[in-house]
Amino acid sequence: MNSGLRWVSATAVGRLLRCPVSVTPRARPDIPAAHAPDNAGSLAHLALGVWLESGGWNDEDPGAALQAAWDAEAERWGIHWRRLREGVVVRARLRSRGAELAHLVTSAGRRAQSEVFLTDDTTGIYGALDVIVDDGDGGGAVIDLKSGRDVVGTLDEAVRIQLLMYAHLFRAKYGKLPTTVAAFSLIRGAVPIEFSVEEVDELIERVHEVRAMKDAVASPDEVGCRYCSRRLRCDPHWVAAKEWPKPDCVEGRLTKIERAAAGMIALRVETPTTTEWVTNLDAHQATNLPAIGEHLRVVRISQRRHTEWVASTVTRVGPKASSTD
């Protein structure tokens, strides 16, 4: 492996192309560490791995086998899956979609593997692929499980780029692009994509060009910024967000902290034009609060009313920090 490379994950390439400063390359590929699943999607991916490795996809009722793998993984990790958000729904979808997923796998080749970690020393791209199917002739399939709503409608451009990067990693390993590249949505089913060698090569060339840029600047937009880890400290984002029709963030002076008996926290934020409330924060999310009277930033929140915002598990809070920090 080339130790001088700076590495970027396949899932981050879409963000990199959208905004060059949104992704910080790594000194080495980041191999995912095993940990207890904390959401229904993570548990579904663990169940998928067990289902594939145990041969459950070849069972007479592959959906029942996939659901059984979910139950077994939940028990192994001590997870009460009924308490997970959408846990009941995702478990039911595994059962109903199992046969379709099994057909997609068996039609692509003879040998299926899960959570395959691949790297490419030429481009510095790496990724953990949910499903690789090898047909014994350099073809096969790359399948990415989607348990949420990211492929309910038109396939998101970032998801498409992610899948094409997985196809490139498959080529780096087997010497040939896979015959089939697909997202598998537990809501929608199989969503295969049309692609060509030229498209993948052009995408790789774009990655090279962006990574070679000097003095790259932020290119904020409502979609690309949503899950960017730099949002709290990216000043261009906060300038752009003021013009977004449906922002999911607020910044201003922290003037009050209220704590409910159940442990939830609400913040009062004074902006240049009004007083905003951010509610439903938990104690962990409130560990990085500035002092009363200082500047506060909050991202990934939903607007309930004109001056009230509601936090969720993905909400992040912090003081104002320079984008050069």
Side-chain angles (χ1 to χ4, degrees):
M1 185 176 291
N2 187 340
S3 61
L5 275 177
R6 299 290 287 175
W7 296 85
V8 174
S9 73
T11 56
V13 168
R15 285 191 291 110
L16 177 73
L17 296 180
R18 198 163 192 145
C19 177
V21 302
S22 67
V23 177
T24 302
R26 298 175 179 271
R28 62 186 61 85
D30 184 20
I31 300 175
H35 59 83
D38 56 2
N39 57 69
S42 297
L43 185 54
H45 279 79
L46 289 175
L48 174 67
V50 170
W51 182 72
L52 285 170
E53 299 301 332
S54 67
W57 51 293
N58 284 317
D59 281 7
E60 183 177 340
D61 187 346
L66 185 53
Q67 192 176 74
W70 162 285
D71 293 342
E73 283 299 283
E75 182 177 359
R76 180 168 78 95
W77 291 98
I79 303 298
H80 299 286
W81 56 263
R82 289 184 178 84
R83 298 178 186 175
L84 296 176
R85 183 181 180 185
E86 296 198 339
V88 174
V89 174
V90 170
R91 180 178 181 273
R93 287 173 181 157
L94 290 172
R95 175 74 180 258
S96 65
R97 292 288 184 185
E100 182 182 355
L101 179 55
H103 176 73
L104 180 62
V105 173
T106 55
S107 64
R110 301 190 304 269
R111 180 168 176 260
Q113 304 174 69
S114 66
E115 290 300 316
V116 182
F117 189 77
L118 299 179
T119 62
D120 175 30
D121 284 355
T122 302
T123 61
I125 295 171
Y126 70 93
L129 284 64
D130 288 345
V131 183
I132 281 182
V133 186
D134 179 11
D135 68 359
D137 190 32
V142 166
I143 304 169
D144 194 57
L145 180 68
K146 301 295 184 183
S147 60
R149 298 185 174 275
D150 36 2
V151 290
V152 172
T154 303
L155 193 68
D156 184 270
E157 180 63 17
V159 174
R160 179 181 176 82
I161 291 174
Q162 174 192 357
L163 291 172
L164 292 180
M165 290 298 95
Y166 285 164
H168 169 71
L169 290 173
F170 183 101
R171 177 174 61 180
K173 178 176 177 62
Y174 293 105
K176 183 179 178 181
L177 288 171
T179 305
T180 301
V181 175
F184 190 88
S185 166
L186 292 182
I187 299 173
R188 184 178 169 186
V191 187
I193 65 171
E194 298 288 337
F195 68 98
S196 65
V197 174
E198 292 75 17
E199 182 181 6
V200 175
D201 290 344
E202 288 173 5
L203 193 56
I204 294 298
E205 183 61 30
R206 286 177 57 199
V207 172
H208 280 308
E209 291 174 356
V210 170
R211 298 188 68 180
M213 291 174 59
K214 295 182 179 180
D215 302 319
V217 296
S219 302
D221 69 80
E222 199 165 352
V223 175
C225 288
R226 179 164 178 78
Y227 290 104
C228 179
S229 62
R230 300 185 70 255
R231 287 183 72 181
L232 289 176
R233 65 184 187 275
C234 180
D235 291 336
H237 156 267
W238 291 99
V239 173
K242 295 174 183 178
E243 306 300 324
W244 293 348
K246 293 183 178 180
D248 68 332
C249 55
V250 65
E251 69 170 332
R253 188 167 58 91
L254 177 62
T255 58
K256 190 174 185 179
I257 302 174
E258 289 192 353
R259 302 178 187 274
M264 304 310 291
I265 296 168
L267 309 176
R268 187 175 68 190
V269 183
E270 298 288 344
T271 73
T273 58
T274 188
T275 299
E276 310 272 6
W277 280 95
V278 179
T279 64
N280 201 46
L281 290 160
D282 62 31
H284 176 73
Q285 292 169 315
T287 56
N288 194 32
L289 293 177
I292 296 294
E294 294 185 354
H295 199 94
L296 175 78
R297 285 174 168 175
V298 189
V299 299
R300 303 178 199 165
I301 48 180
S302 301
Q303 194 164 27
R304 176 179 289 171
R305 288 185 286 272
H306 178 59
T307 58
E308 183 180 348
W309 302 81
V310 181
S312 69
T313 56
V314 298
T315 296
R316 296 293 179 267
V317 184
K320 181 178 180 178
S322 171
S323 58
T324 59
D325 287 352

